[in-house]
Amino acid sequence: MDAVKRDYVECVQKLGKYADVIVVNVSSPNTPGLRSLQASKPLTDLLGSVVVAANDVARARKPKVVVKVSPDSDSPQAIRDISAAVKASGVAGVIVANTTVTRPAFLTTSPQTTEEEKRIVAEEAGGYSGPALFPRTLKLVEEFRRQLGANIEVVASGGVQNGRDAIECVKHGASAVMGYTGMVYGGVGWFGRMASELAEEVEKIQTEVRRLKVAGAAVINDETYGRE
């Protein structure tokens, strides 16, 4: 564990002066043994060391530290342990979440799925992301927000495809939203589409709020004056 902390701290010492945010990734499924660092004690020790190193960086505005966790560490106890480590170490936020090693059954149920694709799903290791991960992202964001309270950032990541998805993440407690798979398949125009879709979703929400205010005012007015 001491060697692990030295590696992370050295990275902060060398790169921290160039960064506004430092992400401590303890959740990549492609690095054997890495996810074991999400256990309560090692995670608390590791994050504490990184936060101290970040605060020692020679720049006026110190980089913020966030931790990226696995969607497969989704048991109530795992979420409590990770949240406790985040709060105890002074980390600014948590990214929920990395890719998953699970493989939803529907991935291979399409008649168009080739035998080679079925073999890949069945045999090959590595992280899976995309739309199938999105429901779990929402659930985890909600759980981590409940555990962490209002003062620690919760960043949603996993299966976000459009502006509607991003708004759903915010509704479930996300402070910010990240997208990757959607951008890979959507190309560079994805960013512009996301901005337009977000604006449309916000306008829908504002319209509904205005409608409710008018309806509420009408009810109050009727209750106040309609019975005379």
Side-chain angles (χ1 to χ4, degrees):
M1 187 61 199
D2 288 340
V4 172
K5 288 194 291 187
R6 283 197 301 271
D7 287 345
Y8 279 83
V9 167
E10 184 177 357
C11 288
V12 175
Q13 290 170 339
K14 291 186 176 182
L15 302 175
K17 61 184 177 181
Y18 307 110
D20 292 319
V21 178
I22 294 171
V23 179
V24 180
N25 185 354
V26 291
S27 54
S28 170
N30 306 311
T31 306
L34 182 66
R35 291 186 171 190
S36 65
L37 295 176
Q38 293 177 115
S40 181
K41 187 178 187 309
L43 186 59
T44 302
D45 291 346
L46 175 60
L47 294 179
S49 298
V50 173
V51 169
V52 169
N55 289 334
D56 287 340
V57 170
R59 57 177 288 182
R61 184 175 180 180
K62 308 299 182 184
K64 299 293 184 181
V65 177
V66 300
V67 58
K68 191 172 187 178
V69 301
S70 165
D72 303 317
S73 299
D74 59 351
S75 70
Q77 187 60 54
I79 293 172
R80 285 194 295 269
D81 287 348
I82 292 171
S83 298
V86 167
K87 289 188 281 190
S89 60
V91 165
V94 57
I95 299 175
V96 184
N98 211 316
T99 55
T100 177
V101 297
T102 62
R103 298 293 189 269
F106 71 80
L107 290 177
T108 56
T109 56
S110 169
Q112 297 178 339
T113 305
T114 66
E115 291 302 315
E116 175 63 10
E117 289 170 334
K118 291 179 181 179
R119 184 196 67 78
I120 290 172
V121 170
E123 298 178 7
E124 294 193 0
Y128 171 80
S129 189
L133 185 57
F134 187 65
R136 189 183 296 191
T137 296
L138 292 180
K139 180 180 178 182
L140 287 170
V141 165
E142 193 170 85
E143 290 299 322
F144 273 101
R145 174 56 69 204
R146 184 177 294 112
Q147 290 289 330
L148 295 173
N151 296 324
I152 295 176
E153 308 297 336
V154 177
V155 181
S157 175
V160 176
Q161 301 295 300
N162 50 51
R164 185 172 59 257
D165 290 346
I167 291 294
E168 281 302 307
C169 290
V170 173
K171 288 180 179 178
H172 281 73
S175 313
V177 180
M178 296 176 64
Y180 184 80
T181 303
M183 180 269 294
V184 169
Y185 287 98
V188 294
W190 183 78
F191 298 99
R193 287 193 294 275
M194 280 290 289
S196 297
E197 290 165 358
L198 280 169
E200 290 174 4
E201 293 299 321
V202 169
E203 178 58 30
K204 289 178 184 177
I205 293 171
Q206 291 174 337
T207 298
E208 180 64 10
V209 169
R210 288 193 292 268
R211 185 191 69 78
L212 291 173
K213 284 182 177 180
V214 170
V219 169
I220 293 172
N221 186 64
D222 182 63
E223 291 180 348
T224 304
Y225 301 105
R227 297 178 183 176
E228 293 181 354

